[in-house]
Amino acid sequence: MDATDLDYRARTRSGCIPPELVSRLLERGHVDVVELQAGRGEWFCALAWARLLGEQGRQADALEVLAPYLATGWWTAVVAAAELLEAWGRIDEAIEITRVRMKAGHPMALEFYTRLLARHGRAEEAFTLLRPHIGELSLAVALVDVAAAAGRNEEAAALLAARTEHRCSDFPWCCRGLDRDTAIGLLATIRERQGRTDEAIALLRTGSTTLLKNREQLAALLARHGRLDEFRAAAATDDSGYAVQQLARFLEERGDVEGSIAAYQQADGPLAHNPNSAFELAQLLARHGRGNEAIDVMRVQADARNGDDWILHTLSDLCLDQGRPEDGLAHLDALAAARGGEEEWDLYWIRLPLIAARDGVDEAIAQARSHPEGATSYAAPHIAELLAGAGRTEEAVAVLEQHASANSHDLAGYLIDLGRVEDALATLQRRTPRPPELSDGPWHDDPPF
């Protein structure tokens, strides 16, 4: 095995059995296949099999499964093994295998190692290791989290306060690590933890008014402390829509559904300009049995943003849920007419479940196939989904087999459902050439870079 190859296949889900299909194999009773493939370089099979063995009390066998992957030095395998050992209560072993990688200089090992230490009574040691790295974003976040268990909140706060004094002179190149506004957010986290809520709020309000993360943190803080008037004021001036969403969620959890709806509908609020807030309002209405109102909300957005596919998806799904497929189709038909009757596949396929609900699966498939792009590789999964949903899995497979390389995961999933496991594996394990690695050579200012 090779760590680079393992990492490439795991990241791209190419030339391997992806985790969702490993789960499918197990659900269909093909445990023996997962066990066999675990020993043949299939990482997601190895991970699933090791977890199963651990659940059966066969910890030594589980570690033996992971051993060849660990031997490559691949960080993902190290993390998986450490997490299993920790879950089994074998803390010293989990710490040791992580420490080895940290000493070898792995860039992600220090954060994992120190968090592991802190979870198991060694927070002081973790804090000491992290302290010199306050300027690195992920490690600064870890240091703030570890500081509480180490009893060193004030020391962490002092380190962060020093960072808040810095102002970038060459944005964005100056602070590629921990910038001033992020340091303010972390310092506010510590102050809230210490019970100094007013100070935390003041800090977040003095940070950059354009930094979404700090505005989100402020909204969440106000929600946690029930400071409703300030929360409403923050929502009224937040054009990102996040504070409105947090306020609405807070009110809904308190049982004030009407207040939650009103938060989205406030005059001149973000709903008028932010389709994400409209989506949240529609979902809120649907959750409380007001699906027809939800449809009306999304129809307004669909009219205002002619052709935004995610809005049309949401509107269509709501129409399906409310048993109103004809209304969804009417809107899509009007959109197509406004475009001269032509509709590219990425919009056209939205109508297929609506047609199936109104006129039946065969009609939906016939219309899909009559579309100019109906025979393409990217149309095949949508047609196959209609067929499989109607219990016609063999036909779904036949459709996907015409474009097997482009739809290998969908095809393999249906093959597994049919019990054709060998065919599924052959489809998934076709190797394609890996693209060339980026050059490690010297930097150049002039092309070719």
Side-chain angles (χ1 to χ4, degrees):
M1 292 183 195
D2 173 76
T4 303
D5 182 58
L6 285 168
D7 190 64
Y8 175 78
R9 287 192 287 138
R11 283 187 297 103
T12 63
R13 303 294 200 264
S14 63
C16 70
I17 308 172
E20 64 274 12
L21 293 185
V22 174
S23 298
R24 204 148 168 175
L25 285 166
L26 292 172
E27 288 164 6
R28 302 293 188 272
H30 301 291
V31 180
D32 56 333
V33 174
V34 173
E35 179 183 4
L36 180 64
Q37 294 298 320
R40 293 182 173 180
E42 286 288 351
W43 165 246
F44 296 113
C45 286
L47 182 57
W49 182 232
R51 286 171 175 164
L52 279 175
L53 290 170
E55 290 168 7
Q56 296 167 9
R58 298 168 59 188
Q59 296 175 6
D61 292 336
L63 292 176
E64 189 176 336
V65 169
L66 295 183
Y69 301 88
L70 281 168
T72 68
W74 185 36
W75 175 244
T76 300
V78 174
V79 169
E83 288 176 343
L84 283 176
L85 287 164
E86 184 183 16
W88 299 336
R90 296 164 62 172
I91 309 305
D92 290 342
E93 293 171 77
I95 289 172
E96 179 58 22
I97 67 168
T98 312
R99 185 189 68 80
V100 169
R101 296 304 300 153
M102 185 187 69
K103 290 192 72 174
H106 193 283
M108 298 170 68
L110 178 59
E111 180 182 357
F112 186 91
Y113 178 69
T114 51
R115 288 185 181 277
L116 181 60
L117 289 176
R119 285 197 296 273
H120 298 284
R122 296 169 62 178
E124 280 274 356
E125 182 181 346
F127 188 93
T128 301
L129 287 168
L130 287 167
R131 195 183 189 286
H133 302 279
I134 186 65
E136 299 172 45
L137 178 56
S138 66
L139 298 179
V141 173
L143 180 137
V144 168
D145 293 341
V146 164
R152 296 173 75 172
N153 277 323
E154 276 306 323
E155 187 174 346
L159 291 169
L160 291 165
R163 304 288 300 189
T164 66
E165 298 301 318
H166 172 74
R167 293 186 180 274
C168 291
S169 58
D170 186 23
F171 185 81
W173 306 113
C174 180
C175 288
R176 285 176 283 181
L178 180 64
D179 62 275
R180 175 179 180 270
D181 288 313
T182 303
I184 286 173
L186 292 173
L187 180 55
T189 297
I190 292 176
R191 294 310 183 208
E192 182 189 7
R193 191 161 66 208
Q194 293 175 313
R196 296 158 66 173
T197 306
D198 289 337
E199 191 174 340
I201 290 170
L203 278 165
L204 292 170
R205 284 177 172 158
T206 59
S208 171
T209 57
T210 62
L211 189 67
L212 179 59
K213 189 174 186 301
N214 281 8
R215 284 189 288 171
E216 291 176 351
Q217 185 177 347
L218 176 61
L221 188 156
L222 293 171
R224 281 193 295 274
H225 294 276
R227 299 174 69 149
L228 194 54
D229 290 341
E230 293 170 84
F231 203 173
R232 291 186 191 279
T237 58
D238 178 24
D239 58 3
S240 75
Y242 180 83
V244 172
Q245 180 183 333
Q246 288 289 92
L247 174 61
R249 189 170 297 164
F250 174 75
L251 292 170
E252 183 185 11
E253 288 172 356
R254 288 178 51 177
D256 185 3
V257 176
E258 291 301 327
S260 181
I261 293 169
Y264 285 116
Q265 293 177 329
Q266 59 186 311
D268 299 321
L271 179 60
H273 313 288
N274 189 337
N276 295 315
S277 292
F279 171 82
E280 294 294 339
L281 172 58
Q283 298 302 305
L284 170 64
L285 290 164
R287 278 197 300 275
H288 293 279
R290 297 165 65 170
N292 289 331
E293 293 174 66
I295 289 172
D296 292 339
V297 167
M298 292 312 298
R299 184 183 284 118
V300 170
Q301 292 298 319
D303 288 337
R305 293 170 173 79
N306 191 355
D308 278 14
D309 57 353
W310 74 269
I311 292 175
L312 292 173
H313 274 293
T314 303
L315 175 59
S316 299
D317 288 344
L318 286 168
C319 288
L320 273 176
D321 292 342
Q322 297 303 310
R324 294 170 53 184
E326 64 282 349
D327 291 335
L329 286 168
H331 191 93
L332 292 171
D333 288 341
L335 174 62
R339 297 184 169 196
E342 294 184 5
E343 205 167 40
E344 294 182 356
W345 184 263
D346 60 351
L347 289 180
Y348 183 84
W349 78 266
I350 299 171
R351 71 180 56 242
L352 297 180
L354 297 167
I355 297 170
R358 187 187 67 179
D359 304 319
V361 170
D362 286 330
E363 179 61 25
I365 291 169
Q367 291 203 31
R369 285 175 167 156
S370 68
H371 188 275
E373 296 169 82
T376 60
S377 62
Y378 47 85
H382 302 122
I383 296 173
E385 186 176 3
L386 289 171
L387 289 163
R392 295 155 62 177
T393 309
E394 291 278 7
E395 293 176 67
V397 165
V399 168
L400 291 169
E401 282 179 332
Q402 298 173 51
H403 311 280
S405 61
N407 297 294
S408 59
H409 289 189
D410 289 325
L411 174 57
Y414 293 132
L415 288 168
I416 291 169
D417 291 343
L418 292 172
R420 295 170 54 184
V421 174
E422 290 300 322
D423 291 338
L425 296 181
T427 297
L428 291 168
Q429 292 173 332
R430 291 193 187 103
R431 295 295 183 91
T432 55
R434 201 165 76 215
E437 299 290 336
L438 293 174
S439 171
D440 290 328
W443 177 268
H444 296 286
D445 290 322
D446 300 314
F449 297 106

